[in-house]
Amino acid sequence: MGDQGLILNITEAPISVHRGGRTVQRPLKPKGNRSKAIKRKFQDVIEEPSPKRQSLPSSPKVQQKETNKLSVKKLKTDSSPKKASGQKENHTKGRASVKTSSLFKNNPEVPDIERTKVKQLQEDVFSSDSFSGLGLHPHLVSTITNVLDMTKMTSVQKMTIPALMSGRDAMVRSQTGSGKTLAYGIPLVQALQAVVPKIQRSDGPYALILVPTRELALQSFTIVQKLLKPFTWIVPGVLMGGEKRKSEKARIRKGINILISTPGRLVDHIKSTKSIHFTHVRWLIVDEADRILDLGFEKDITTILNALNSQSEQRQNVLLSATLSQGVARLADISLQNPVSVTVTEEVSTDITPAVHPNVEQNDTDPSGFAMPEKLHQHVVVVPSKLKLVTLSAFILGKWKNDKKPKMIIFFPSCELVEFHLTLLSNVLPLRSHGKDPRVFLRLHGNMEQEERTEAFQHFTQAKAGILLCTDVAARGLDLPQVTWIVQYNAPASAAEYIHRVGRTARLGAQGSSLLILLPSEAEYMRTLVDHKISVSEMKMEGILSSLLAENFLRIKQAGGKKAETADPQTIRERGTVLQTKFEDYVHANTETSLWAKKALQSYIRSYATYPKDLKHVFHIRSLHLGHVAKSFGLRDAPHNLSQQLAGNVKKQSKYQHKRAKGHQPVRMKQRFSDLLTSEFSSGLPSKQKKAKKVGDKEKET
């Protein structure tokens, strides 16, 4: 027995007591400091018996048997801080093993994705022509060469600049990252610097540039500012949400000659700022026109067009986008007069009016497809729900260690998911910064303060390496240099959104790659990409997880201090389980982080319900296994009260409506539950109020 036998004899061995001439056997009851000292000394070996068991006498043989059971049970229990969070480990003889059944078993089968041969539309990004042959001002050519470091024009610039310099309206469609900003910026600056007499600041706007997001407004402002470096008398300015109206009004009063703005903020100033006028406007440029319409700014565009038509007699109008939709075609019919249509693909076509344009997509089912960057390598991986977080982390760890200058953008469907994964990944993954700034992970979404958004955007633009977690607010038009990987944690709602997301890499002829993560139930989404002539190759989950073998913080130590070095599938699974355990330990460290994970899970479920009807057969909320999805949020089990809380809110609302209804008709639970999940910002209010809330959130996002 050793020490355990000694403990048994001290704590529970029966003793003899002489009472009234008789000898009585009874167990010893520890009292006072002696028992506390014994408990403190041996608490890691034996458990204290319950009060009920202490009060009942038993034979030494039975006590010996019970003590042995308790000792074995205690030895199997981990006394580390993991025990406090509920984590359990099984230990086998000679080697520490990790429980893998919950993570790698009972998962749905991963279907094989057949790679259909697709001929993608390609663009010749660069042409052989230089800017010096366009007849531009020598100082402007020098600025393009020395400041912007460009000598050869891209194909879209070669076709667009001469058309705009001739004074014609234009509708330009070209792949993202092909230089569309300079395509309209160069002829704009060339025209304004030649105005006689010289433009004065007090004249007000001569050109109006509309963009959908604040980040794109800042980026366009920076490029125009560089082009205007030799022409100091022309003043650019930017108006966007998140800034103080008072300071913007002061800049408007002083004078802005090239005004760059988001539609909502410009309409706000049209209605409230008396000093703003458009009497001298000669140019109207709408960049990312389809995104502006998608965000619900159609009424704002109408207000702006009415203000321009009432004050400026004649102007040149330009619409630009990587994709064209029916909404853009309608806008072109309203705002453009005798336009030239520039489309840069293998089959180049020009001088085609928008009404008969062959590449205008019909409800995102355009069979002609989208033009893709030539050096963009696209990949997809199918991962069970439980392994989604671990697979993403393994991919990040592998690229961060193996790539020289890793620069990655990860897209999430909601602001809450960006915040959750930012904190979780930055606290669990031990990534060392490649630069002076210790931050590896950055975030960008619509719920951030404007100062934070600007700082994050500029920091990631200038950084040589980093990981940006963001929503689709960063998917349109942003020129983020040297991005090596685009990761889509959730599939986009349309092929057009897919194109814009992956367009953040492989820009202007550079190399770039993308990865789309799908669940087994979502594998049919690949048909949508194939229908739009998007070619994607498959990655295997096991190959991504194998990068965990190189991470020392996930090593499993054997008994005797030896380390497991084998690269067999079981070791990879054990490493993945260790990583999942670290996520779970962080999430379950306290009530606050656990509740935070549940709210992020709620946001994911709500965003999942927002896919359009034509994709409901692929992304249906009923196809989600709540327990498996919860695992990808670091939760050990599916929150039993998550659905009850959602349904409880619905019941309260239904009960209230039932009392007020004249006919006392019960509200269908299924319909109300579906309504509640239509938006990540939903509050459970009736659909009309919820719709108004959604519009407000879109304005906030931009």
Side-chain angles (χ1 to χ4, degrees):
M1 279 293 295
D3 291 342
Q4 295 183 12
L6 179 62
I7 297 169
L8 176 63
N9 293 334
I10 291 175
T11 58
E12 296 194 14
I15 63 174
S16 299
V17 178
H18 297 278
R19 183 178 299 169
R22 294 184 301 160
T23 301
V24 181
Q25 298 286 338
R26 67 181 178 85
L28 176 65
K29 296 181 180 181
K31 296 182 180 180
N33 296 333
R34 182 183 177 189
S35 64
K36 294 180 180 178
I38 293 172
K39 180 180 179 182
R40 184 166 57 250
K41 183 176 180 179
F42 299 103
Q43 62 183 353
D44 60 337
V45 179
I46 186 170
E47 287 183 343
E48 284 291 316
S50 64
K52 183 177 180 180
R53 181 166 296 185
Q54 283 183 342
S55 62
L56 297 175
S58 58
S59 65
K61 191 173 182 179
V62 174
Q63 292 171 351
Q64 175 78 18
K65 186 176 181 181
E66 291 176 350
T67 304
N68 289 339
K69 289 181 179 179
L70 292 171
S71 300
V72 173
K73 182 179 180 181
K74 191 64 180 178
L75 287 171
K76 287 184 178 181
T77 305
D78 189 2
S79 60
S80 65
K82 292 181 181 179
K83 179 186 174 183
S85 61
Q87 180 64 29
K88 296 181 180 180
E89 292 184 1
N90 295 333
H91 298 271
T92 57
K93 185 176 179 180
R95 174 174 176 173
S97 64
V98 182
K99 189 175 182 181
T100 61
S101 58
S102 63
L103 194 63
F104 285 90
K105 291 185 178 180
N106 301 321
N107 287 318
E109 293 184 4
V110 176
D112 293 329
I113 296 179
E114 297 181 3
R115 185 177 181 184
T116 307
K117 292 184 179 180
V118 176
K119 184 181 179 182
Q120 291 189 159
L121 296 181
Q122 300 289 342
E123 292 184 10
D124 294 329
V125 178
F126 287 98
S127 68
S128 58
D129 297 349
S130 64
F131 292 99
S132 57
L134 294 174
L136 302 175
H137 193 286
H139 291 170
L140 181 56
V141 176
S142 177
T143 301
I144 296 170
T145 304
N146 300 325
V147 179
L148 299 178
D149 195 23
M150 293 188 66
T151 55
K152 301 294 183 180
M153 289 186 290
T154 64
S155 297
V156 66
Q157 292 166 359
K158 176 184 176 181
M159 299 172 62
T160 305
I161 293 176
L164 296 184
M165 290 179 64
S166 67
R168 295 188 62 180
D169 289 359
M171 184 170 68
V172 182
R173 179 192 182 189
S174 178
Q175 70 179 34
T176 181
S178 59
K180 291 191 292 293
T181 304
L182 286 180
Y184 69 77
I186 290 174
L188 172 61
V189 173
Q190 171 67 19
L192 295 185
Q193 62 85 27
V195 173
V196 179
K198 281 187 177 181
I199 291 174
Q200 297 182 4
R201 182 173 186 176
S202 59
D203 293 343
Y206 278 79
L208 179 60
I209 303 174
L210 298 178
V211 294
T213 64
R214 304 174 190 178
E215 286 71 30
L216 186 53
L218 289 174
Q219 177 180 291
S220 302
F221 172 74
T222 301
I223 295 175
V224 171
Q225 201 173 31
K226 290 179 179 179
L227 290 174
L228 290 173
K229 197 170 183 179
F231 313 111
T232 55
W233 62 89
I234 304 175
V235 179
V238 61
L239 305 176
M240 60 185 181
E243 298 289 342
K244 294 181 179 179
R245 289 184 178 88
K246 186 176 181 180
S247 60
E248 289 184 343
K249 289 182 178 181
R251 295 202 301 270
I252 292 173
R253 282 194 297 268
K254 290 181 180 179
I256 298 175
N257 302 130
I258 300 178
L259 181 59
I260 305 166
S261 178
T262 54
R265 180 47 66 98
L266 182 59
V267 170
D268 184 31
H269 281 290
I270 291 174
K271 294 179 178 179
S272 62
T273 304
K274 295 181 179 179
S275 57
I276 193 169
H277 62 87
F278 305 106
T279 54
H280 294 94
V281 170
R282 298 186 179 184
W283 288 72
L284 171 63
I285 300 168
V286 183
D287 198 2
E288 298 293 345
D290 58 339
R291 181 60 173 169
I292 289 178
L293 298 177
D294 290 342
L295 290 174
F297 289 121
E298 189 169 354
K299 291 184 178 179
D300 293 335
I301 294 293
T302 303
T303 302
I304 294 170
L305 287 175
N306 291 335
L308 291 173
N309 293 334
S310 63
Q311 299 182 41
S312 62
E313 296 180 357
Q314 188 176 1
R315 65 177 182 275
Q316 190 172 354
N317 303 303
V318 184
L319 301 182
L320 304 101
S321 180
T323 58
L324 297 179
S325 63
Q326 289 181 324
V328 176
R330 289 195 303 269
L331 179 60
D333 290 337
I334 297 173
S335 59
L336 304 181
Q337 296 181 0
N338 189 26
V340 53
S341 181
V342 178
T343 303
V344 186
T345 58
E346 288 180 339
E347 298 177 0
V348 177
S349 57
T350 58
D351 290 324
I352 302 177
T353 59
V356 295
H357 198 288
N359 290 328
V360 173
E361 54 184 0
Q362 304 292 329
N363 297 325
D364 196 37
T365 58
D366 175 20
S368 65
F370 303 98
M372 304 294 295
E374 182 180 0
K375 296 184 179 180
L376 173 63
H377 305 285
Q378 302 171 81
H379 308 275
V380 63
V381 60
V382 181
V383 180
S385 295
K386 287 193 291 187
L387 289 160
K388 199 172 183 182
L389 179 61
V390 170
T391 303
L392 173 66
S393 304
F395 183 81
I396 293 173
L397 290 168
K399 297 305 174 185
W400 193 259
K401 176 169 286 189
N402 297 328
D403 292 0
K404 294 182 179 179
K405 294 181 179 179
K407 202 168 182 181
M408 187 183 303
I409 301 177
I410 306 176
F411 285 97
F412 292 92
S414 71
C415 306
E416 288 86 351
L417 291 176
V418 171
E419 291 288 346
F420 172 76
H421 287 90
L422 173 79
T423 304
L424 188 64
L425 295 174
S426 59
N427 281 279
V428 175
L429 301 185
L431 300 183
R432 294 183 179 180
S433 174
H434 287 249
K436 296 181 180 179
D437 196 315
R439 291 178 297 175
V440 173
F441 293 95
L442 297 170
R443 63 191 174 120
L444 185 62
H445 59 76
N447 283 350
M448 297 169 61
E449 296 293 334
Q450 182 55 41
E451 292 182 1
E452 294 178 312
R453 288 177 65 168
T454 303
E455 194 274 336
F457 171 66
Q458 293 178 347
H459 182 275
F460 188 74
T461 301
Q462 299 170 3
K464 295 181 179 180
I467 301 172
L468 178 66
L469 280 60
C470 62
T471 59
D472 278 335
V473 73
R476 294 295 186 111
L478 297 187
D479 185 16
L480 301 168
Q482 300 175 345
V483 174
T484 55
W485 276 94
I486 299 295
V487 179
Q488 302 184 66
Y489 196 62
N490 296 86
S494 67
E497 289 185 19
Y498 176 91
I499 294 298
H500 286 290
R501 286 181 178 183
V502 300
R504 299 314 101 207
T505 187
R507 299 176 69 83
L508 293 176
Q511 295 279 356
S513 303
S514 68
L515 176 64
L516 173 63
I517 302 178
L518 296 176
L519 302 180
S521 60
E522 301 169 352
E524 194 177 346
Y525 182 77
M526 294 301 300
R527 293 185 181 180
T528 302
L529 300 183
V530 171
D531 291 342
H532 289 81
K533 299 183 180 180
I534 299 173
S535 178
V536 182
S537 60
E538 184 182 8
M539 277 187 177
K540 292 296 183 181
M541 179 187 68
E542 292 77 10
I544 296 176
L545 293 179
S546 63
S547 62
L548 298 177
L549 294 172
E551 300 299 329
N552 293 329
F553 79 106
L554 298 176
R555 289 185 181 273
I556 306 169
K557 294 185 178 180
Q558 291 179 330
K562 296 181 180 180
K563 297 181 179 179
E565 297 291 346
T566 57
D568 58 283
Q570 177 62 20
T571 304
I572 296 175
R573 291 187 174 191
E574 290 176 350
R575 294 288 180 88
T577 305
V578 171
L579 181 57
Q580 176 69 21
T581 301
K582 291 182 179 295
F583 286 126
E584 292 177 5
D585 288 343
Y586 181 83
V587 168
H588 291 274
N590 54 64
T591 305
E592 183 180 356
T593 54
S594 178
L595 181 61
W596 190 31
K598 292 178 183 179
K599 289 182 177 179
L601 175 59
Q602 256 186 3
S603 176
Y604 171 79
I605 294 173
R606 286 170 175 166
S607 65
Y608 205 84
T610 61
Y611 281 96
K613 291 183 179 180
D614 58 336
L615 289 176
K616 283 294 184 184
H617 66 288
V618 180
F619 304 95
H620 199 286
I621 195 168
R622 304 290 181 185
S623 65
L624 293 178
H625 189 297
L626 188 58
H628 291 189
V629 175
K631 203 79 173 174
S632 67
F633 286 84
L635 296 167
R636 295 195 177 97
D637 300 298
H640 297 292
N641 60 343
L642 185 66
S643 298
Q644 295 174 2
Q645 289 175 356
L646 291 174
N649 292 335
V650 176
K651 286 181 180 179
K652 290 181 181 179
Q653 179 188 350
S654 302
K655 184 177 180 181
Y656 176 75
Q657 293 177 348
H658 176 73
K659 288 181 179 180
R660 295 179 61 92
K662 293 182 180 180
H664 297 283
Q665 294 293 333
V667 180
R668 293 180 62 186
M669 184 64 63
K670 183 177 179 181
Q671 179 183 357
R672 288 301 178 192
F673 184 77
S674 175
D675 289 344
L676 183 63
L677 298 179
T678 54
S679 171
E680 60 174 284
F681 302 103
S682 176
S683 60
L685 297 174
S687 58
K688 291 184 178 180
Q689 298 182 20
K690 181 180 66 177
K691 185 175 181 180
K693 177 72 175 177
K694 188 175 181 181
V695 173
D697 287 323
K698 284 186 176 181
E699 292 176 354
K700 190 175 185 180
E701 181 73 18
T702 57

